[in-house]
Amino acid sequence: MAAATSASAEDNISSAEGQVVDVTSAAYRRMPESIRNLSDTEVKRLSGKLVRKIDLYILPTIGILYILNYIDRQNLAAAKLQGIMEDLNMTTQQFATAISILFVGYLPFQIPSNLIITKVSRPGMYICCAVVIWGSISASTAAVKSYSQLLAVRATLGVAEAVFFPGAIYYLSAWYTKVELGKRIAGLYIAQQVGNAFGGLFAAAILQLDGTHNIAGWQWLFIIEGSATVGLGVICACIMPEFPHNSRILSQLERDIAVWRIESEAGAAEGTEEESTMRGFGKALCDPKLLLLIFCNMLSQAQGSIANYFPTLVASLNFSRTMSLLLTAPPYILAGMVYYGIMFYSDHKNTVYPLILMCISIAVCMYIPPMATLNVGARYFSMMILPFASVGPQLLLYKTINLHLARPTSKRAAASALVNAIGGTSNIWASYLYYEKPHFYAAFGTLMGCAFLFAATITVYRWLILRENGRLDSGDPEKIAKVIKGGVTEEMVQLNWRYEMY
């Protein structure tokens, strides 16, 4: 059996979901007593059953919350089409500031939040409390009477929403193995696209209430969507499970299997390490791989900034306000389907790098039509493609972060938050690029430059980790010591762990 599993470790093709891979002797020594007496077939069967069970609890709740997260974050763009700028006497520059100021609160608070989530025993409750808070803040946007009040509400909303996305990515990585994580991250982004697509449809419907009870349509938008977020946040708090080691929805045997599935890959799981949170944070900051991934995400987030202005881009096609909102739905629906296809292929073939380059190449080509022509068909075709081509690499980056920076668990949590927080700063300055319609030369020209730089940076990252793998393969203690210094633990070396997917 050892020979077979060793061969499997060298194979770049992933195993089926729910199966535990790379069962080396080191992994076997860490196996709980409750599992050691079971046959391989029985362990695989129980593991597959466990995955289906946690999918049933985790994916729908996380997906619903992310839909709410994105709708509440993006509804200001929809409100622009219904007169919020006129009612609050805002200029185009002030509206851009109102969009970007959310990230002033959103970005820095992600890091402490993700460090906290590694220490709380009920991460689901922690996330859902934040959902209720941001829903309340979003609903209160309907009460603002001036530009300065809108800025204050948006900044506060960013602080509350900072908990969710990096926390959700870390939470998923605590439950799923490397051959399962990609599709679950894709599920999260598919929920984002549902939020984008149906957010526009809901906005178009809600905005028809304009003037009802002397309340403007954009005010109804914030009231209804914010109230829905509060209610669903309370419901989801009763459903989301804890970490694998203390989950109340699992039996003791299921908890043992859930923990061991993660330990057998990375050498440790949530609740099994005693390293301090700040030490893990320090290790994350000292890892050069993380710095490259942060820069990659900055460039990718800049490309993804089109989501903040997508209704405006579609409106440049000169359709009515309602039709512009409706036309935002098809590109996001397509993006959701493509995301799943990309991550399914990534999990199945255990690859990331070629897929990132593919998305970048498509995005570069699609930036050209809006700058080069006024033909409505050509421009809308590029807008159909751009959401998945611009945002797709982010899914692959988050998968990379959680598998390449796995240990200690506090380092993984800090790395996920740092990449999203610092990388997300691009959303602040990118908000000021979307002017001079209909061609938006500054925006699309800048995004094209970001795409080329992104391709170069991820190639450097690939070279770095392939060098690290070469050192691990050499068997030379001095070279292996250099890799350990760079972030790989001795337990991971014993498990024949390698940087994969590149």
Side-chain angles (χ1 to χ4, degrees):
M1 185 178 73
T5 53
S6 176
S8 176
E10 295 174 2
D11 189 352
N12 200 42
I13 306 300
S14 66
S15 64
E17 274 193 26
Q19 296 184 15
V20 180
V21 297
D22 298 343
V23 187
T24 64
S25 57
Y28 182 79
R29 288 194 298 270
R30 302 179 67 92
M31 187 184 292
E33 290 291 338
S34 60
I35 305 176
R36 287 190 184 184
N37 297 326
L38 301 177
S39 66
D40 289 348
T41 302
E42 185 68 10
V43 171
K44 290 176 182 179
R45 185 186 69 81
L46 291 173
S47 184
K49 182 180 178 181
L50 172 67
V51 170
R52 291 190 293 272
K53 183 174 182 177
I54 59 180
D55 276 348
L56 183 63
Y57 278 91
I58 292 175
L59 296 186
T61 52
I62 285 285
I64 289 170
L65 295 180
Y66 198 29
I67 290 171
L68 298 173
N69 178 265
Y70 223 73
I71 286 177
D72 285 340
R73 201 190 315 170
Q74 301 298 328
N75 53 16
L76 185 59
K80 179 185 179 183
L81 300 181
Q82 195 62 27
I84 190 174
M85 289 182 63
E86 292 77 11
D87 288 354
L88 300 185
N89 298 314
M90 287 192 292
T91 64
T92 301
Q93 194 79 357
Q94 288 176 326
F95 183 80
T97 300
I99 288 283
S100 63
I101 199 169
L102 179 140
F103 297 98
V104 174
Y106 180 72
L107 300 176
F109 280 89
Q110 291 183 46
I111 298 169
S113 174
N114 245 34
L115 294 176
I116 291 171
I117 202 172
T118 64
K119 298 302 180 183
V120 298
S121 60
R122 297 199 62 186
M125 181 64 72
Y126 175 71
I127 290 173
C128 289
C129 285
V131 173
V132 172
I133 293 171
W134 92 54
S136 303
I137 296 171
S138 181
S140 71
T141 308
V144 301
K145 301 298 183 184
S146 66
Y147 168 63
S148 59
Q149 290 177 358
L150 178 63
L151 292 184
V153 171
R154 292 282 294 176
T156 309
L157 179 64
V159 174
E161 291 200 353
V163 172
F164 182 74
F165 184 75
I169 293 290
Y170 172 75
Y171 180 69
L172 289 175
S173 71
W175 281 97
Y176 293 104
T177 67
K178 65 183 179 183
V179 301
E180 301 159 356
L181 183 61
K183 288 188 288 296
R184 276 68 187 184
I185 293 177
L188 196 60
Y189 271 80
I190 289 171
Q192 177 198 80
Q193 301 316 306
V194 171
N196 280 325
F198 291 96
L201 297 178
F202 290 148
I206 294 171
L207 293 175
Q208 301 306 309
L209 295 173
D210 185 36
T212 303
H213 300 298
N214 294 320
I215 298 175
W218 64 266
Q219 291 175 306
W220 278 116
L221 182 67
F222 289 109
I223 292 170
I224 293 174
E225 292 183 350
S227 300
T229 298
V230 172
L232 288 170
V234 172
I235 294 172
C236 289
C238 303
I239 299 173
M240 285 183 68
E242 299 81 9
F243 284 126
H245 70 277
N246 65 344
S247 177
R248 293 179 294 177
I249 67 169
L250 303 181
S251 66
Q252 184 58 53
L253 177 60
E254 289 174 325
R255 285 195 291 270
D256 289 343
I257 292 175
V259 171
W260 183 70
R261 279 160 32 86
I262 307 303
E263 283 191 337
S264 64
E265 286 190 349
E270 274 63 28
T272 65
E273 288 184 318
E274 297 182 357
E275 184 147 21
S276 71
T277 300
M278 294 310 298
R279 184 173 176 83
F281 179 65
K283 286 184 175 181
L285 289 176
C286 296
D287 193 332
K289 297 187 296 298
L290 176 62
L291 301 180
L292 284 172
L293 289 173
I294 287 173
F295 188 54
C296 283
N297 198 42
M298 287 181 67
L299 299 169
S300 186
Q301 291 269 3
Q303 290 184 267
S305 66
I306 62 170
N308 297 328
Y309 276 83
F310 204 67
T312 300
L313 295 176
V314 176
S316 71
L317 302 177
N318 295 321
F319 291 104
S320 67
R321 290 177 175 180
T322 300
M323 182 57 68
S324 294
L325 287 171
L326 295 176
L327 286 174
T328 62
Y332 290 127
I333 294 172
L334 175 64
M337 293 187 291
V338 174
Y339 289 162
Y340 187 81
I342 288 173
M343 298 310 284
F344 180 87
Y345 185 86
S346 175
D347 282 353
H348 183 63
K349 296 296 185 180
N350 201 25
T351 186
V352 158
Y353 178 69
L355 296 173
I356 291 178
L357 293 186
M358 178 191 73
C359 289
I360 291 173
S361 300
I362 294 173
V364 167
C365 294
M366 291 300 104
Y367 292 142
I368 297 173
M371 294 190 290
T373 181
L374 291 176
N375 181 275
V376 172
R379 290 169 66 84
Y380 189 66
F381 176 77
S382 71
M383 293 175 190
M384 283 289 296
I385 304 299
L386 278 174
F388 80 76
S390 296
V391 181
Q394 293 177 30
L395 287 74
L396 299 162
L397 285 175
Y398 283 112
K399 181 179 178 181
T400 299
I401 294 160
N402 283 282
L403 297 180
H404 285 190
L405 305 175
R407 290 283 313 278
T409 53
S410 55
K411 176 184 176 181
R412 186 172 82 243
S416 182
L418 282 165
V419 167
N420 199 54
I422 301 177
T425 57
S426 297
N427 287 285
I428 297 176
W429 57 262
S431 296
Y432 296 93
L433 297 174
Y434 294 86
Y435 58 90
E436 293 184 357
K437 64 179 183 180
H439 291 290
F440 300 98
Y441 291 116
F444 290 114
T446 301
L447 300 189
M448 186 178 291
C450 289
F452 284 119
L453 192 53
F454 182 11
T457 307
I458 199 66
T459 300
V460 172
Y461 178 81
R462 177 177 183 265
W463 170 83
L464 179 63
I465 62 170
L466 291 180
R467 186 191 67 176
E468 298 290 89
N469 281 346
R471 289 172 173 174
L472 289 169
D473 293 337
S474 70
D476 185 335
E478 291 186 3
K479 292 182 178 180
I480 292 176
K482 291 180 180 180
V483 180
I484 292 175
K485 187 177 179 180
V488 174
T489 65
E490 292 183 3
E491 293 93 338
M492 294 164 76
V493 173
Q494 293 171 7
L495 290 168
N496 295 321
W497 187 90
R498 294 294 184 272
Y499 292 102
E500 299 179 354
M501 307 182 296
Y502 282 78

